[in-house]
Amino acid sequence: MDAKRVELLQRMPVFGALGERALQLLVEKSRHIEVAAGEYFFREGDAARSVYVLESGRAVVTRQWQGRAIELNRFGPGDCFGEMALMDLHPRSASVRALEPCVAIEFGPDEMLHLYEADLEQFTLLQMNLGRELCRRLRATDDLLFRAAMGEMPTAPQARG
């Protein structure tokens, strides 16, 4: 099963150009979790401890606004979420709920430290990739904010895959 998980990570931009050995280290130390439909991976305001890579299932990202959960995004197999936890250590900025039964790879600072100690170059590459992913999402958010400021009603993006 680890080989299949390494293969999944190899196809993802966040893990792009990382060697098989580095990915194997992450997978070996990671947790594999199952989240039932309707249950949460985490909720807005929770302590941020880990990032998730969705192996199967679909999930939705929401934020609370005036007592309502507003949908921001959807994720499918091969998507990652929660990566801000590895960068800024602030509480979760949104909630992620499973729309159907989900299986995910979960890893956090301990796994990152293990990779740092084992291979500084691969650790640095992963940090750069995480930064790029955050920038990509920030650009998309900036575009949505601009459109909203111009009076256009933005719509939530659909999951890939």
Side-chain angles (χ1 to χ4, degrees):
M1 187 57 142
D2 280 357
K4 188 175 181 181
R5 289 184 170 120
V6 166
E7 208 175 288
L8 172 68
L9 296 181
Q10 286 174 324
R11 293 191 307 263
M12 298 176 64
V14 169
F15 300 97
L18 265 71
E20 190 169 336
R21 182 176 167 271
L23 294 173
Q24 187 66 39
L25 283 171
L26 286 173
V27 168
E28 285 173 1
K29 298 291 183 181
S30 68
R31 290 161 300 287
H32 308 286
I33 64 164
E34 296 181 17
V35 177
E39 296 297 317
Y40 286 83
F41 283 89
F42 52 81
R43 294 179 186 264
E44 186 176 343
D46 285 353
R49 292 187 199 82
S50 53
V51 63
Y52 298 86
V53 175
L54 205 52
E55 289 185 89
S56 64
R58 303 223 178 270
V60 63
V61 182
T62 60
R63 282 195 73 171
Q64 290 295 313
W65 178 257
Q66 298 180 347
R68 289 184 28 217
I70 306 298
E71 182 175 326
L72 301 177
N73 205 350
R74 289 180 178 229
F75 294 120
D79 287 328
C80 73
F81 51 90
E83 66 282 344
M84 288 170 52
L86 299 179
M87 304 295 280
D88 72 1
L89 306 176
H90 288 282
R92 297 288 188 186
S93 62
S95 299
V96 176
R97 180 176 50 85
L99 293 171
E100 57 192 52
C102 292
V103 176
I105 303 167
E106 176 187 16
F107 65 91
D110 291 341
E111 291 76 26
M112 295 295 284
L113 177 61
H114 185 72
L115 179 59
Y116 171 83
E117 291 169 341
D119 192 330
L120 182 58
E121 184 177 307
Q122 294 289 285
F123 170 83
T124 302
L125 184 57
L126 180 54
Q127 289 294 322
M128 288 173 53
N129 288 348
L130 286 167
R132 285 186 186 107
E133 179 65 14
L134 289 170
C135 286
R136 185 187 67 74
R137 291 182 184 184
L138 178 60
R139 285 183 188 279
T141 301
D142 284 348
D143 184 56
L144 288 173
L145 287 171
F146 177 77
R147 290 170 184 248
M150 296 296 108
E152 184 179 314
M153 182 55 88
T155 59
Q158 296 301 307
R160 299 178 301 218

